[in-house]
């Protein structure tokens, strides 16, 4: 059953009797062991009272004696505003990451996002800041030639 397979993969239980090849189960177990524990769980501030809290409860319940499997840290961040307005597809105030990189370059985006804020307050991505970042990058590169 899937519960027995999960016990083998997640809880170091005995090898199950199953039609799933042991090589597949062993691969899943290695993947799990590679990615766990979570060093840092990052999510939006609106998920603190539900998803993030229950993630802690679930990890403690699954591994009560194995603190090394518990989430090591949690970081909550605010939402992202676009030009001081809530991003929303329905209002048209929306930009995909691909659109943003096409418009401002990857480095321009990095600078603009770094400047937009990094606390639990809502970050504000401003197109003018991204444009200015591109100009500053260009000027810096040209001054070094």
């Amino acid at each position: 059953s899937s519960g027995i397979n999960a016990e083998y993969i997640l809880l170091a239980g005995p090898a199950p009797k199953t039609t799933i090849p042991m090589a597949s189960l062993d691969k899943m177990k290695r993947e799990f062991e590679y990615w766990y524990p979570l060093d840092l769980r990052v999510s939006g501030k609106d998920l603190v009272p539900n998803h993030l809290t229950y993630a802690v409860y679930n990890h403690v319940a699954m591994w009560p004696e194995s603190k090394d499997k518990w989430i090591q840290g949690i970081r909550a961040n605010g939402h992202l505003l676009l030009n001081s307005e809530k991003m929303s597809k329905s209002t048209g105030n929306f930009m995909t990451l691909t659109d943003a990189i096409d418009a401002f370059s990857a480095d321009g985006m990095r600078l603009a996002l770094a400047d937009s804020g990094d606390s639990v307050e809502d970050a504000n991505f401003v197109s003018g800041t991204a444009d200015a970042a591109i100009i500053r990058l260009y000027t810096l590169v040209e001054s070094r030639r």
Side-chain angles (χ1 to χ4, degrees), residues 41-53:
R41 170 72 161 90
V42 180
S43 194
K45 63 184 179 181
D46 56 319
L47 299 180
V48 170
N50 47 44
H51 294 286
L52 295 175
T53 303

Side-chain angles (χ1 to χ4, degrees), residues 24-97:
S24 296
L25 293 174
D26 288 338
K27 183 178 180 185
M28 287 186 263
K29 187 173 184 167
R30 281 192 308 276
E31 287 285 320
F32 168 75
E33 290 170 350
Y34 177 83
W35 291 107
Y36 259 76
L38 297 176
D39 293 330
L40 183 63
R41 170 72 161 90
V42 180
S43 194
K45 63 184 179 181
D46 56 319
L47 299 180
V48 170
N50 47 44
H51 294 286
L52 295 175
T53 303
Y54 280 99
V56 172
Y57 293 158
N58 288 334
H59 281 77
V60 173
M62 283 185 68
W63 299 285
E65 306 300 324
S66 301
K67 290 183 180 181
D68 62 315
K69 293 280 195 267
W70 296 0
I71 298 172
Q72 304 299 301
I74 292 178
R75 163 86 164 67
N77 51 268
H79 301 125
L80 181 61
L81 303 176
L82 179 58
N83 297 317
S84 303
E85 294 181 26
K86 180 182 173 188
M87 280 210 303
S88 170
K89 287 183 182 179
S90 64
T91 64
N93 190 42
F94 185 80
M95 182 182 295
T96 67
L97 186 55

Side-chain angles (χ1 to χ4, degrees), residues 1 3-9 13-20 22 25-26:
S1 94
I4 294 171
N5 297 335
E7 187 175 317
Y8 174 71
I9 295 165
K17 293 178 183 168
T18 179
T19 59
I20 300 171
M22 280 306 295
L25 293 174
D26 288 338

